[in-house]
């Protein structure tokens, strides 16, 4: 993780400071731990983002909204069809003021859920003790009770991508968004179907068919006659001739052999080597493994 961040420091010309827990502190405790890094004396609010969601991040709109309402917390909400898995906001439609914050519904009270994107005043840190604490269950309900918590409805897409199948769904939403906003970044050509993102350093062989909803990472080699759909192929992967991959995630520096077929939400960890003519029907293969026989039903390969 730290090496990954160093790469982005150089790329973006910024400094990234890390605060590391030695024990799990929940969703609020880590903010208390990073207090010295978050308070700079300016009194300006700061963003807090859950790292397992993907969306169109409305930072500018949030800052304007936050300054206009004068409360302590601004939170982004999104509308979902199945709100029972999430924390739900009961709010005034006109002002965005949150009346209450309900974690994991038993009865329907609304369909606007916490999207995991917050803008907090530094004063919120005074409410957080250095112990395992939930921001959703312990901090936000108190702020809502004081009428200092406001919510803004997210424009565009949102997806919790903490699970592999949701990651693939989130990928599709992201590529759809890219098509609308900056379609020049997407790959084109007779071998491309739908929305596909290919890194400039990746090499694609003759006679391939790629898409829809595919990302091919840096330094990948896709040999001739390969079929890819609804999948992510991470940095440094080699996919050999006539392999077929769908609805799967291929981890860094892995290899998929000739005429192999990988599908049904198969997840390859880093440096996994799938031999020629192997069939992978779902499951998770942990890093540094060689797969010599077919996986006929989803399982974890350790």
């Amino acid at each position: 993780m730290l090496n990954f961040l160093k790469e982005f420091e150089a790329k973006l010309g910024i400094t990234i400071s890390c605060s590391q827990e030695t024990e799990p502190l929940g969703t609020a405790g880590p903010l208390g731990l990073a207090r010295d890094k978050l308070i700079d004396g300016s009194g300006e609010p700061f963003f807090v983002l859950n790292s397992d969601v993907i969306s169109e991040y409305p930072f500018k709109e949030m800052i304007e909204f936050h300054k206009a309402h004068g409360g302590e917390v601004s939170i982004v909400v999104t509308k979902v069809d199945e709100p029972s898995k999430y924390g739900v906001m009961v709010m005034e439609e006109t002002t965005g003021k949150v009346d209450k914050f309900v974690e994991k519904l038993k009865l329907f009270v609304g369909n606007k859920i916490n999207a995991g994107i917050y803008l907090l005043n530094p004063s919120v840190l005074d409410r957080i003790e250095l112990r395992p604490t939930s921001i959703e269950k312990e901090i936000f309900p108190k702020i809502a009770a004081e009428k200092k918590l406001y919510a803004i409805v997210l424009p565009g897409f949102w997806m919790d991508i903490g699970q592999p199948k949701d990651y693939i769904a989130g990928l599709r939403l992201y590529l759809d968004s890219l098509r609308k906003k900056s379609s020049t970044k997407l790959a084109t050509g007779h071998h491309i179907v739908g929305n596909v993102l290919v890194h400039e350093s990746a090499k694609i062989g003759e006679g391939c068919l790629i898409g829809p909803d595919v990302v091919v990472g840096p330094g990948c080699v896709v040999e001739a006659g390969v079929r890819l759909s609804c999948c992510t192929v991470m940095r440094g992967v080699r996919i050999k001739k006539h392999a077929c991959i769908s609805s799967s995630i291929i981890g860094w520096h892995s290899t998929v052999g000739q005429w192999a077929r990988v599908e049904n939400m198969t997840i390859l960890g880093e440096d996994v080597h799938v031999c020629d003519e192997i069939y992978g029907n779902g499951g998770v293969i942990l890093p540094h493994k060689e797969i010599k026989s077919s996986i006929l039903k989803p399982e974890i390969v350790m």
Side-chain angles (χ1 to χ4, degrees):
M1 183 74 177
L2 292 172
N3 289 336
F4 176 79
L5 293 174
K6 280 194 181 76
E7 196 179 305
F8 275 85
E9 272 191 323
K11 190 174 173 183
L12 301 172
I14 58 172
T15 302
I16 300 175
S17 302
C18 294
S19 174
Q20 200 166 350
E21 297 160 276
T22 51
E23 59 172 310
L25 293 172
T27 51
L31 297 176
L33 185 65
R35 183 188 176 96
D36 294 343
K37 290 181 168 68
L38 294 170
I39 292 185
D40 61 1
S42 69
E44 287 290 309
F46 57 89
F47 285 101
V48 176
L49 312 172
N50 285 0
S51 60
D52 59 356
V53 301
I54 189 166
S55 73
E56 293 171 16
Y57 292 95
F59 295 132
K60 188 165 175 283
E61 296 89 332
M62 279 187 80
I63 292 168
E64 288 166 1
F65 175 70
H66 190 77
K67 286 179 176 171
H69 68 63
E72 200 170 3
V73 173
S74 294
I75 183 168
V76 172
V77 295
T78 187
K79 292 178 183 175
V80 292
D81 297 328
E82 180 48 71
S84 60
K85 297 191 293 184
Y86 305 98
V88 170
M89 252 36 64
V90 181
M91 56 188 270
E92 292 175 11
E93 291 294 328
T94 49
T95 63
K97 186 184 284 182
V98 175
D99 293 322
K100 57 182 176 178
F101 194 101
V102 186
E103 265 293 295
K104 309 287 189 288
L105 288 176
K106 296 283 189 296
L107 298 168
F108 183 85
V109 295
N111 66 345
K112 293 187 183 74
I113 66 155
N114 171 10
I117 303 168
Y118 317 133
L119 188 56
L120 312 181
N121 283 354
S123 57
V124 174
L125 296 173
D126 297 333
R127 300 172 179 266
I128 298 170
E129 295 175 33
L130 195 53
R131 61 175 176 82
T133 313
S134 165
I135 203 165
E136 301 85 1
K137 292 178 185 173
E138 296 173 66
I139 308 300
F140 286 163
K142 289 176 184 170
I143 299 172
E146 293 173 21
K147 308 295 183 198
K148 293 179 180 176
L149 190 137
Y150 288 77
I152 181 171
V153 178
L154 178 74
F157 76 96
W158 180 88
M159 191 79 200
D160 178 330
I161 54 169
Q163 299 293 326
K165 67 176 177 14
D166 296 331
Y167 179 91
I168 295 292
L171 171 68
R172 189 185 74 246
L173 294 172
Y174 171 71
L175 292 174
D176 279 345
S177 172
L178 209 55
R179 167 72 64 194
K180 290 171 194 151
K181 294 195 165 181
S182 49
S183 60
T184 52
K185 290 182 178 176
L186 294 172
T188 53
H190 63 276
H191 62 299
I192 300 293
V193 180
N195 297 332
V196 174
L197 198 56
V198 177
H199 193 272
E200 59 189 12
S201 63
K203 293 183 170 65
I204 309 290
E206 291 291 315
C208 292
L209 189 59
I210 297 175
D213 305 323
V214 171
V215 172
V216 178
C220 291
V221 177
V222 179
E223 295 183 5
V226 165
R227 177 73 179 105
L228 303 177
S229 67
C230 303
C231 63
T232 292
V233 180
M234 294 187 176
R235 178 193 296 271
V237 166
R238 178 176 284 270
I239 300 170
K240 296 187 177 176
K241 292 175 185 173
H242 307 293
C244 178
I245 299 169
S246 66
S247 301
S248 297
I249 300 171
I250 310 300
W252 308 272
H253 308 291
S254 292
T255 307
V256 177
Q258 295 183 42
W259 296 101
R261 187 178 184 93
V262 175
E263 61 187 22
N264 190 25
M265 217 49 68
T266 298
I267 315 300
L268 306 189
E270 183 173 13
D271 182 41
V272 168
H273 301 283
V274 176
C275 293
D276 294 351
E277 300 177 26
I278 292 296
Y279 175 51
N281 181 28
V284 177
I285 293 94
L286 272 64
H288 315 299
K289 294 280 169 288
E290 187 175 21
I291 304 299
K292 294 179 179 176
S293 57
S294 290
I295 297 167
L296 302 177
K297 61 180 195 300
E299 59 179 288
I300 295 173
V301 178
M302 308 195 45

